[in-house]
Amino acid sequence: MWRPMKLRLNDPGYTDRLANFLRSLGQTAFVAGPGQLEIDAPATSSARAELVIYLRVWTVLYPDAEVQVETEDDELPAA
């Protein structure tokens, strides 16, 4: 089962950069609006864990770009 995960950025200026970063890592990322991305990924704990790792790398590269992660039925820790 696939379930979209929503990402929200505190600064919309990073939206395209984050989408491109995730795409470069093989993720399916769609820009849903300013400061909003949707990731189409399997609804598994390993897929969520992989995304969290990628977002931790992102925060090292862009420490000012805070990202909140949401799913339909639960929330993941912020990166």
Coordinates of all heavy atoms in Angstrom, one line a residue:
M1 N 0.8 -1.2 0.0 CA 0.0 0.0 0.0 C 0.9 1.2 0.0 O 1.8 1.3 0.7 CB -0.9 0.0 1.2 CG -1.8 1.2 1.4 SD -2.7 1.2 2.9 CE -4.2 1.7 2.4
W2 N 0.5 2.2 -0.8 CA 1.3 3.5 -0.9 C 0.4 4.5 -0.3 O -0.8 4.6 -0.4 CB 1.5 3.8 -2.4 CG 2.5 2.9 -3.0 CD1 2.3 1.6 -3.3 CD2 3.8 3.2 -3.3 NE1 3.4 1.0 -3.8 CE2 4.4 2.0 -3.9 CE3 4.6 4.3 -3.3 CZ2 5.7 1.9 -4.3 CZ3 5.9 4.2 -3.8 CH2 6.5 3.1 -4.3
R3 N 1.1 5.4 0.5 CA 0.4 6.5 1.1 C 1.3 7.7 1.0 O 2.5 7.7 1.3 CB 0.2 6.1 2.6 CG -0.5 7.2 3.4 CD -0.9 6.7 4.7 NE -1.9 5.7 4.6 CZ -2.0 4.6 5.3 NH1 -1.1 4.3 6.2 NH2 -2.9 3.7 5.1
P4 N 0.7 8.8 0.6 CA 1.5 10.1 0.5 C 1.9 10.6 1.9 O 1.2 10.5 2.8 CB 0.6 11.0 -0.2 CG -0.8 10.5 0.0 CD -0.7 9.1 0.2
M5 N 3.2 11.0 1.9 CA 3.6 11.7 3.1 C 3.8 13.2 2.8 O 4.3 13.5 1.7 CB 5.0 11.1 3.6 CG 4.8 9.7 4.2 SD 6.4 9.1 4.8 CE 6.8 8.0 3.5
K6 N 3.3 14.0 3.6 CA 3.4 15.5 3.4 C 4.5 16.1 4.1 O 4.7 15.8 5.3 CB 2.1 16.1 3.8 CG 0.9 15.6 2.9 CD -0.4 16.2 3.3 CE -1.5 15.7 2.5 NZ -2.8 16.2 2.8
L7 N 5.2 17.0 3.5 CA 6.3 17.7 4.1 C 6.0 19.2 4.0 O 5.5 19.7 3.0 CB 7.6 17.5 3.3 CG 8.1 16.1 3.1 CD1 9.4 16.1 2.3 CD2 8.2 15.3 4.4
R8 N 6.2 19.9 5.1 CA 6.0 21.3 5.2 C 7.3 22.0 5.6 O 7.9 21.6 6.6 CB 4.9 21.6 6.2 CG 3.6 21.0 5.8 CD 2.4 21.6 6.5 NE 1.2 20.9 6.3 CZ 0.4 21.1 5.3 NH1 0.8 21.9 4.3 NH2 -0.7 20.4 5.1
L9 N 7.7 23.0 4.9 CA 8.9 23.7 5.2 C 8.6 25.1 5.8 O 7.6 25.7 5.4 CB 9.7 24.0 3.9 CG 10.3 22.7 3.3 CD1 9.5 22.2 2.1 CD2 11.7 23.0 2.8
N10 N 9.4 25.5 6.7 CA 9.2 26.8 7.3 C 9.5 28.0 6.4 O 9.0 29.1 6.5 CB 10.0 27.0 8.6 CG 11.5 27.0 8.3 OD1 12.0 26.4 7.4 ND2 12.3 27.8 9.1
D11 N 10.3 27.7 5.4 CA 10.7 28.7 4.4 C 10.3 28.2 3.0 O 11.0 27.3 2.5 CB 12.2 29.0 4.5 CG 12.6 30.1 3.5 OD1 11.9 30.5 2.6 OD2 13.7 30.7 3.7
P12 N 9.3 28.7 2.3 CA 8.9 28.2 1.0 C 10.0 28.3 -0.1 O 9.9 27.7 -1.1 CB 7.7 29.1 0.6 CG 7.2 29.7 1.9 CD 8.4 29.8 2.8
G13 N 11.0 29.2 0.2 CA 12.1 29.3 -0.8 C 12.9 28.0 -1.0 O 13.6 27.9 -2.0
Y14 N 12.8 27.1 -0.1 CA 13.5 25.8 -0.2 C 12.7 24.7 -0.8 O 13.2 23.6 -1.0 CB 13.9 25.4 1.2 CG 15.1 26.2 1.8 CD1 14.8 27.1 2.8 CD2 16.4 26.0 1.5 CE1 15.8 27.9 3.4 CE2 17.4 26.7 2.0 CZ 17.1 27.7 3.0 OH 18.1 28.4 3.5
T15 N 11.5 25.0 -1.2 CA 10.6 23.9 -1.7 C 11.2 23.2 -2.9 O 11.3 21.9 -2.9 CB 9.2 24.5 -2.1 OG1 8.7 25.2 -1.0 CG2 8.2 23.4 -2.5
D16 N 11.6 23.9 -3.9 CA 12.1 23.2 -5.1 C 13.4 22.5 -4.8 O 13.7 21.4 -5.4 CB 12.3 24.2 -6.3 CG 10.9 24.6 -6.8 OD1 10.0 23.8 -6.8 OD2 10.8 25.8 -7.3
R17 N 14.3 23.1 -4.0 CA 15.5 22.5 -3.6 C 15.3 21.2 -2.9 O 16.0 20.2 -3.2 CB 16.3 23.4 -2.7 CG 17.2 24.4 -3.4 CD 18.1 25.1 -2.5 NE 18.1 26.5 -2.8 CZ 18.7 27.4 -2.0 NH1 19.3 27.1 -0.9 NH2 18.7 28.7 -2.4
L18 N 14.4 21.1 -2.0 CA 14.1 19.9 -1.3 C 13.5 18.8 -2.2 O 13.9 17.7 -2.2 CB 13.2 20.1 -0.1 CG 12.8 18.9 0.7 CD1 14.1 18.1 1.2 CD2 11.9 19.2 1.9
A19 N 12.6 19.3 -3.1 CA 12.0 18.3 -4.1 C 13.1 17.7 -5.0 O 13.2 16.5 -5.1 CB 11.0 19.0 -4.9
N20 N 14.0 18.5 -5.4 CA 15.1 18.1 -6.3 C 16.1 17.2 -5.5 O 16.6 16.2 -6.1 CB 15.9 19.2 -6.9 CG 15.0 19.9 -8.0 OD1 14.2 19.3 -8.6 ND2 15.2 21.2 -8.2
F21 N 16.4 17.5 -4.3 CA 17.2 16.7 -3.4 C 16.6 15.3 -3.3 O 17.3 14.3 -3.5 CB 17.4 17.4 -2.1 CG 18.1 16.6 -1.1 CD1 19.5 16.4 -1.1 CD2 17.4 16.0 0.0 CE1 20.2 15.6 -0.2 CE2 18.1 15.2 0.9 CZ 19.5 15.0 0.9
L22 N 15.3 15.2 -2.9 CA 14.7 13.9 -2.7 C 14.6 13.1 -4.0 O 14.8 11.9 -4.0 CB 13.3 14.1 -2.1 CG 13.4 14.7 -0.7 CD1 12.0 15.0 -0.2 CD2 14.0 13.6 0.3
R23 N 14.3 13.8 -5.1 CA 14.3 13.1 -6.4 C 15.6 12.5 -6.8 O 15.7 11.5 -7.4 CB 13.8 14.1 -7.5 CG 12.3 14.4 -7.4 CD 11.9 15.4 -8.5 NE 10.6 16.0 -8.2 CZ 10.3 17.3 -8.3 NH1 11.2 18.1 -8.7 NH2 9.1 17.6 -8.1
S24 N 16.7 13.3 -6.4 CA 18.0 12.8 -6.7 C 18.4 11.5 -6.0 O 19.3 10.7 -6.3 CB 19.1 13.8 -6.5 OG 19.3 14.0 -5.1
L25 N 17.6 11.3 -4.9 CA 17.8 10.1 -4.1 C 16.8 9.0 -4.4 O 16.6 8.0 -3.7 CB 17.7 10.4 -2.6 CG 18.8 11.4 -2.1 CD1 18.4 11.9 -0.7 CD2 20.1 10.7 -2.1
G26 N 16.0 9.2 -5.5 CA 15.1 8.2 -6.0 C 13.7 8.3 -5.4 O 12.8 7.4 -5.6
Q27 N 13.4 9.3 -4.7 CA 12.1 9.5 -4.1 C 11.1 10.2 -5.1 O 11.6 11.0 -6.0 CB 12.1 10.4 -2.8 CG 13.0 9.9 -1.7 CD 12.4 8.6 -1.1 OE1 11.3 8.6 -0.7 NE2 13.2 7.5 -1.1
T28 N 9.9 9.9 -5.0 CA 8.9 10.6 -5.9 C 8.3 11.8 -5.1 O 7.5 11.6 -4.2 CB 7.8 9.6 -6.3 OG1 8.4 8.4 -6.9 CG2 6.8 10.2 -7.3
A29 N 8.8 12.9 -5.4 CA 8.4 14.2 -4.7 C 7.6 15.1 -5.6 O 8.1 15.4 -6.7 CB 9.6 14.9 -4.2
F30 N 6.5 15.6 -5.1 CA 5.6 16.5 -5.9 C 5.5 17.8 -5.1 O 5.3 17.7 -3.9 CB 4.2 15.9 -6.1 CG 4.2 14.6 -6.8 CD1 4.1 13.4 -6.1 CD2 4.3 14.6 -8.2 CE1 4.0 12.2 -6.7 CE2 4.2 13.4 -8.8 CZ 4.1 12.2 -8.1
V31 N 5.7 18.9 -5.7 CA 5.4 20.2 -5.1 C 3.9 20.4 -5.0 O 3.3 20.5 -6.0 CB 6.1 21.3 -5.8 CG1 5.8 22.7 -5.2 CG2 7.6 21.1 -5.9
A32 N 3.4 20.5 -3.8 CA 2.0 20.7 -3.6 C 1.6 22.1 -3.4 O 0.4 22.5 -3.4 CB 1.5 19.8 -2.4
G33 N 2.6 23.0 -3.2 CA 2.3 24.4 -3.0 C 3.5 25.0 -2.4 O 4.5 24.3 -2.1
P34 N 3.5 26.3 -2.1 CA 4.7 27.0 -1.5 C 5.0 26.3 -0.1 O 4.1 26.3 0.8 CB 4.3 28.4 -1.3 CG 3.1 28.6 -2.3 CD 2.5 27.3 -2.4
G35 N 6.2 25.8 0.1 CA 6.5 25.2 1.3 C 5.9 23.8 1.6 O 5.9 23.4 2.7
Q36 N 5.3 23.2 0.6 CA 4.6 21.9 0.7 C 5.1 20.9 -0.3 O 5.0 21.2 -1.5 CB 3.1 22.1 0.7 CG 2.6 23.1 1.7 CD 1.1 23.3 1.5 OE1 0.4 22.5 0.9 NE2 0.6 24.4 2.0
L37 N 5.4 19.7 0.1 CA 5.8 18.6 -0.8 C 4.9 17.4 -0.4 O 4.6 17.2 0.8 CB 7.2 18.2 -0.7 CG 8.3 19.3 -1.1 CD1 9.7 18.7 -0.8 CD2 8.1 19.6 -2.6
E38 N 4.7 16.6 -1.4 CA 4.1 15.3 -1.1 C 5.1 14.2 -1.6 O 5.6 14.3 -2.7 CB 2.7 15.1 -1.8 CG 1.7 16.0 -1.1 CD 0.3 15.7 -1.6 OE1 0.1 14.7 -2.4 OE2 -0.6 16.4 -1.2
I39 N 5.3 13.2 -0.8 CA 6.2 12.1 -1.2 C 5.3 10.9 -1.3 O 4.6 10.5 -0.4 CB 7.3 11.8 -0.1 CG1 8.0 13.1 0.3 CG2 8.2 10.7 -0.5 CD1 8.8 13.7 -0.9
D40 N 5.4 10.3 -2.5 CA 4.6 9.0 -2.8 C 5.6 7.9 -2.4 O 6.5 7.6 -3.1 CB 4.2 9.0 -4.2 CG 3.1 8.0 -4.5 OD1 2.5 7.6 -3.5 OD2 3.0 7.6 -5.7
A41 N 5.3 7.2 -1.3 CA 6.1 6.1 -0.9 C 5.3 5.0 -0.3 O 4.2 5.2 0.1 CB 7.1 6.7 0.2
P42 N 5.9 3.8 -0.2 CA 5.2 2.7 0.4 C 4.9 3.0 1.9 O 5.7 3.7 2.6 CB 6.1 1.5 0.3 CG 7.2 1.9 -0.6 CD 7.2 3.4 -0.7
A43 N 3.8 2.5 2.4 CA 3.4 2.8 3.8 C 4.0 1.7 4.7 O 3.4 0.9 5.3 CB 1.9 2.8 3.9
T44 N 5.4 1.8 4.7 CA 6.1 0.8 5.6 C 7.0 1.6 6.5 O 7.4 2.8 6.2 CB 7.0 -0.1 4.7 OG1 8.0 0.7 4.0 CG2 6.2 -0.9 3.7
S45 N 7.4 1.0 7.6 CA 8.2 1.7 8.6 C 9.6 1.9 8.0 O 10.3 2.9 8.2 CB 8.3 0.9 9.9 OG 8.8 -0.4 9.6
S46 N 10.1 1.0 7.1 CA 11.4 1.2 6.5 C 11.4 2.4 5.5 O 12.4 3.1 5.4 CB 11.9 -0.1 5.8 OG 11.0 -0.5 4.8
A47 N 10.3 2.6 4.8 CA 10.2 3.7 3.8 C 10.2 5.0 4.6 O 10.9 6.0 4.2 CB 9.0 3.6 3.0
R48 N 9.5 5.0 5.7 CA 9.5 6.2 6.6 C 10.8 6.5 7.2 O 11.3 7.6 7.2 CB 8.4 6.1 7.6 CG 7.0 6.2 7.1 CD 5.9 6.3 8.2 NE 5.9 5.1 9.1 CZ 5.1 4.1 9.0 NH1 4.2 4.0 8.0 NH2 5.2 3.1 9.9
A49 N 11.5 5.4 7.6 CA 12.8 5.6 8.3 C 13.8 6.1 7.2 O 14.6 7.0 7.6 CB 13.3 4.3 8.8
E50 N 13.7 5.6 6.0 CA 14.6 6.1 4.9 C 14.4 7.6 4.7 O 15.4 8.4 4.6 CB 14.3 5.3 3.7 CG 15.2 5.6 2.5 CD 14.9 4.8 1.3 OE1 14.3 3.7 1.4 OE2 15.4 5.2 0.2
L51 N 13.1 8.0 4.6 CA 12.8 9.4 4.4 C 13.4 10.3 5.6 O 14.0 11.4 5.3 CB 11.3 9.7 4.3 CG 10.9 11.1 4.1 CD1 11.5 11.7 2.8 CD2 9.4 11.2 4.0
V52 N 13.3 9.8 6.8 CA 13.8 10.6 7.9 C 15.3 10.7 7.8 O 15.8 11.8 8.1 CB 13.4 9.9 9.3 CG1 14.1 10.5 10.4 CG2 11.9 10.0 9.5
I53 N 16.0 9.7 7.4 CA 17.4 9.8 7.2 C 17.8 10.8 6.2 O 18.7 11.6 6.4 CB 18.0 8.4 6.8 CG1 17.9 7.5 8.1 CG2 19.5 8.5 6.4 CD1 18.2 6.0 7.7
Y54 N 17.1 10.8 5.0 CA 17.3 11.8 4.0 C 17.1 13.2 4.5 O 17.8 14.1 4.2 CB 16.4 11.5 2.8 CG 16.7 10.3 2.0 CD1 15.7 9.6 1.3 CD2 18.0 9.7 2.0 CE1 16.0 8.5 0.6 CE2 18.2 8.5 1.3 CZ 17.2 7.9 0.6 OH 17.5 6.8 -0.1
L55 N 16.1 13.4 5.3 CA 15.8 14.7 5.8 C 16.8 15.1 6.9 O 17.1 16.3 7.0 CB 14.3 14.7 6.4 CG 13.2 14.6 5.3 CD1 11.9 14.5 6.0 CD2 13.3 15.7 4.3
R56 N 17.4 14.2 7.6 CA 18.5 14.6 8.5 C 19.7 15.1 7.7 O 20.3 16.1 8.1 CB 18.8 13.4 9.4 CG 17.8 13.2 10.4 CD 18.2 12.1 11.4 NE 17.1 11.9 12.3 CZ 16.9 10.8 13.0 NH1 17.8 9.7 12.8 NH2 15.9 10.6 13.8
V57 N 20.0 14.4 6.6 CA 21.1 14.9 5.7 C 20.7 16.3 5.2 O 21.6 17.2 5.2 CB 21.3 13.9 4.6 CG1 22.3 14.5 3.6 CG2 21.8 12.6 5.1
W58 N 19.5 16.5 4.8 CA 19.0 17.8 4.3 C 19.2 18.9 5.4 O 19.7 20.0 5.0 CB 17.5 17.7 3.9 CG 16.9 19.0 3.7 CD1 16.1 19.7 4.5 CD2 17.0 19.8 2.5 NE1 15.7 20.9 3.9 CE2 16.2 21.0 2.7 CE3 17.6 19.6 1.3 CZ2 16.1 21.9 1.7 CZ3 17.5 20.6 0.3 CH2 16.7 21.7 0.5
T59 N 18.9 18.6 6.6 CA 19.1 19.6 7.6 C 20.5 20.0 7.9 O 20.8 21.1 8.4 CB 18.4 19.2 9.0 OG1 18.9 18.0 9.5 CG2 16.9 19.1 8.8
V60 N 21.4 19.0 7.6 CA 22.9 19.4 7.7 C 23.3 20.3 6.6 O 24.0 21.3 6.8 CB 23.7 18.1 7.7 CG1 25.2 18.4 7.5 CG2 23.5 17.2 8.9
L61 N 22.7 20.0 5.4 CA 23.0 20.9 4.2 C 22.4 22.3 4.3 O 23.0 23.3 3.9 CB 22.6 20.2 2.9 CG 23.3 18.9 2.6 CD1 22.6 18.2 1.4 CD2 24.7 19.1 2.3
Y62 N 21.1 22.3 4.9 CA 20.4 23.5 5.0 C 19.8 23.7 6.4 O 18.6 23.4 6.6 CB 19.2 23.5 3.9 CG 19.7 23.4 2.5 CD1 19.7 22.2 1.9 CD2 20.2 24.5 1.8 CE1 20.2 22.1 0.5 CE2 20.6 24.4 0.5 CZ 20.6 23.2 -0.1 OH 21.1 23.1 -1.4
P63 N 20.6 24.1 7.3 CA 20.1 24.1 8.7 C 19.0 25.1 9.0 O 18.3 24.9 10.0 CB 21.4 24.5 9.5 CG 22.4 25.0 8.5 CD 22.0 24.4 7.2
D64 N 18.8 26.1 8.1 CA 17.7 27.0 8.3 C 16.4 26.6 7.8 O 15.4 27.2 8.0 CB 18.1 28.4 7.7 CG 19.3 29.0 8.4 OD1 19.5 28.8 9.6 OD2 20.0 29.8 7.7
A65 N 16.4 25.5 7.0 CA 15.2 25.0 6.4 C 14.6 23.9 7.2 O 14.9 22.7 7.0 CB 15.5 24.5 5.0
E66 N 13.7 24.2 8.1 CA 13.0 23.3 9.0 C 12.0 22.5 8.2 O 11.2 23.1 7.4 CB 12.4 23.9 10.2 CG 13.4 24.6 11.1 CD 12.8 25.3 12.3 OE1 11.6 24.9 12.6 OE2 13.4 26.2 12.8
V67 N 11.9 21.2 8.4 CA 10.9 20.4 7.7 C 10.0 19.6 8.7 O 10.6 19.0 9.6 CB 11.6 19.4 6.8 CG1 10.6 18.5 6.0 CG2 12.5 20.1 5.8
Q68 N 8.7 19.7 8.5 CA 7.8 18.9 9.3 C 7.2 17.8 8.4 O 6.9 18.1 7.3 CB 6.6 19.8 9.8 CG 7.0 20.9 10.7 CD 7.3 20.4 12.1 OE1 6.6 19.5 12.6 NE2 8.2 21.0 12.8
V69 N 7.1 16.6 9.0 CA 6.7 15.5 8.2 C 5.3 15.0 8.7 O 5.2 14.9 10.0 CB 7.7 14.3 8.2 CG1 7.2 13.1 7.4 CG2 9.0 14.8 7.8
E70 N 4.4 14.8 7.8 CA 3.0 14.3 8.3 C 2.6 13.2 7.4 O 3.0 13.1 6.2 CB 2.0 15.4 8.1 CG 2.3 16.7 8.9 CD 1.4 17.8 8.5 OE1 0.5 17.6 7.7 OE2 1.5 18.9 9.1
T71 N 1.8 12.3 7.9 CA 1.2 11.2 7.1 C -0.3 11.3 7.5 O -0.7 12.0 8.4 CB 1.7 9.8 7.4 OG1 1.5 9.5 8.7 CG2 3.2 9.7 7.0
E72 N -1.1 10.5 6.8 CA -2.6 10.6 7.1 C -2.9 10.1 8.5 O -3.8 10.6 9.1 CB -3.3 9.7 6.0 CG -3.4 10.4 4.7 CD -4.1 9.5 3.7 OE1 -4.7 8.5 4.1 OE2 -4.1 9.9 2.5
D73 N -2.2 9.0 8.9 CA -2.6 8.4 10.2 C -1.6 8.6 11.3 O -1.9 8.2 12.4 CB -2.9 6.9 9.9 CG -1.6 6.2 9.4 OD1 -0.7 6.9 8.9 OD2 -1.6 5.0 9.4
D74 N -0.5 9.1 11.0 CA 0.5 9.4 12.1 C 1.4 10.4 11.7 O 1.5 10.9 10.6 CB 1.2 8.1 12.5 CG 2.1 7.5 11.3 OD1 2.0 8.1 10.2 OD2 2.8 6.6 11.5
E75 N 2.3 10.8 12.7 CA 3.3 11.9 12.4 C 4.6 11.3 12.7 O 4.8 10.4 13.5 CB 3.1 13.1 13.3 CG 2.0 14.0 12.8 CD 2.1 15.4 13.4 OE1 3.2 15.8 13.9 OE2 1.0 16.0 13.5
L76 N 5.6 11.7 11.9 CA 7.0 11.3 12.0 C 7.7 12.5 12.8 O 7.2 13.6 12.7 CB 7.6 11.1 10.7 CG 7.1 10.0 9.8 CD1 7.7 10.0 8.5 CD2 7.3 8.6 10.5
P77 N 8.8 12.2 13.4 CA 9.5 13.3 14.0 C 10.0 14.3 13.0 O 10.3 13.9 11.9 CB 10.7 12.5 14.7 CG 10.7 11.1 14.3 CD 9.4 10.9 13.5
A78 N 10.1 15.5 13.4 CA 10.6 16.5 12.5 C 12.1 16.3 12.2 O 12.8 15.8 13.1 CB 10.4 17.9 13.1
A79 N 12.5 16.6 11.1 CA 13.9 16.4 10.7 C 14.7 17.6 11.2 O 14.3 18.7 11.4 CB 14.1 16.3 9.2

